[in-house]
Amino acid sequence: MTKAGDSVSASTKGTAKSADEVILGPTGRPYRGFPTPAKLDSHGPARIIALCNQKGGVGKTTTTINLAASLAGYGRRVLAVDFDPQGALSAGLGIQTHDVPTIYDLLLDTKRDPHEVIVSTRVEGLDILPANIDLSAAEVHLVNEVARETILARVLRKVAAEYDVILIDCQPSLGLLTVNALTAAHGVLIPLECEFFALRGVALLVETIDKVRDRLNPAIELDGVLATMYDARTLHSREVLERVVEAFGDDVLETVIGRTVKFPDASVSGMPITEFAPEHAAAQAYLRLARELVARGAVA
């Protein structure tokens, strides 16, 4: 039984009553374990994944922080890109962004070396391209640029060979910054809150991804839909997750991230939950997410 407020992983919905009974996860599919990823002999080139949803408060930044830390814990070299003017990703990893170069400076001057902006975090193997409120002016400055949708791709191309995965934390909109992220990305991960109104905008997001694939980035693909803020105790959460599985089928990841007060506590500490409370169910869920993405081939 999961305690109130605890995060849940895909193993918490069903319990076997006999040796032959199949255990079902929250998505209604048989529970599978994902093996610990093998260590890599070398690093790079990176696969770029955009974490995208135009609705705010669905767990994009929390997922970026904890997925990045989990992958780094499995020996992957990870670069997290804070692409939201609110700078929550930078703050959540304890990075100071006042009066320092940020991703905004790289967008305005693509000849600038990204290594001047990349900052190492306290998590071994995890670096970040930070952001602050200056990024909110980027769309105005970029609107008249030639090939403005590809500017982020040009920046990341300079460092992609040094990392195994690059995670882009997008802002909650479908503006020029998000289009830049989708144009640079090989895959998209959609964190989706298990709440009715969160479902409404997903069709528009998928339509935007299709347009980017058609016009700018034919290689982009959907890596998965990640159910977040799931509470197995409520009928609403269970019904929303059921509808998500009906709509997206196998694109819905088996790992499910539950609600817990530990996430804001970890954010205040400037640490991933995998370091703040490594034994907590939420930390274990993100480690499982990392293993699932490796097993699916979304990450090396």
Side-chain angles (χ1 to χ4, degrees):
M1 178 71 70
T2 303
K3 295 179 181 178
D6 275 359
S7 181
V8 294
S9 66
S11 61
T12 57
K13 182 179 179 181
T15 329
K17 297 179 181 177
S18 70
D20 297 327
E21 185 173 352
V22 175
I23 300 175
L24 299 181
T27 62
R29 291 170 290 185
Y31 172 76
R32 290 191 300 161
F34 297 102
T36 300
K39 292 189 179 297
L40 299 176
D41 295 328
S42 59
H43 298 287
R47 190 167 187 276
I48 303 173
I49 301 174
L51 286 89
C52 187
N53 192 326
Q54 76 269 30
K55 185 180 185 302
V58 299
K60 287 190 302 296
T61 300
T62 297
T63 296
T64 305
I65 291 171
N66 293 294
L67 175 58
S70 297
L71 288 169
Y74 286 127
R76 274 57 186 169
R77 290 211 63 199
V78 184
L79 176 65
V81 180
D82 193 345
F83 218 47
D84 185 344
Q86 297 178 66
L89 178 66
S90 303
L93 285 170
I95 303 301
Q96 169 63 38
T97 61
H98 182 65
D99 288 335
V100 297
T102 66
I103 186 66
Y104 174 72
D105 299 289
L106 296 177
L107 295 177
L108 264 59
D109 181 7
T110 54
K111 295 182 180 178
R112 186 166 187 164
D113 186 354
H115 294 94
E116 299 174 6
V117 181
I118 291 174
V119 179
S120 297
T121 71
R122 68 177 73 185
V123 179
E124 185 178 354
L126 173 57
D127 297 337
I128 183 174
L129 277 172
N132 56 28
I133 194 63
D134 292 345
L135 187 59
S136 60
E139 295 201 13
V140 175
H141 287 291
L142 298 180
V143 71
N144 293 319
E145 290 288 328
V146 176
R148 58 185 179 271
E149 299 90 355
T150 66
I151 292 177
L152 179 62
R154 281 179 269 161
V155 170
L156 297 182
R157 195 179 301 138
K158 298 177 182 178
V159 295
E162 302 168 28
Y163 296 94
D164 301 307
V165 59
I166 298 176
L167 301 177
I168 308 173
D169 181 29
C170 298
Q171 67 176 150
S173 80
L174 295 179
L176 182 56
L177 289 180
T178 300
V179 171
N180 256 270
L182 294 175
T183 303
H186 301 105
V188 183
L189 183 61
I190 303 176
L192 182 63
E193 180 185 6
C194 289
E195 193 268 336
F196 173 72
F197 290 108
L199 282 172
R200 300 178 64 191
V202 176
L204 181 59
L205 173 58
V206 171
E207 182 181 321
T208 301
I209 294 171
D210 287 340
K211 286 180 179 178
V212 169
R213 181 185 297 113
D214 184 51
R215 303 173 188 178
L216 296 165
N217 181 8
I220 194 171
E221 56 189 19
L222 179 61
D223 285 342
V225 177
L226 174 68
T228 63
M229 303 184 190
Y230 178 72
D231 188 345
R233 299 169 299 174
T234 68
L235 177 62
H236 184 71
S237 269
R238 296 196 301 270
E239 287 181 339
V240 168
L241 183 52
E242 186 177 324
R243 290 185 59 180
V244 172
V245 174
E246 287 176 1
F248 291 97
D250 288 340
D251 285 330
V252 180
L253 298 175
E254 292 182 30
T255 303
V256 171
I257 309 299
R259 287 188 183 276
T260 173
V261 296
K262 285 293 184 183
F263 286 131
D265 291 345
S267 297
V268 170
S269 301
M271 300 169 64
I273 199 166
T274 50
E275 294 207 345
F276 180 78
E279 300 304 319
H280 194 274
Q284 295 303 311
Y286 273 112
L287 288 168
R288 186 177 192 272
L289 173 62
R291 297 196 301 272
E292 180 173 359
L293 290 175
V294 172
R296 281 173 167 249
V299 179

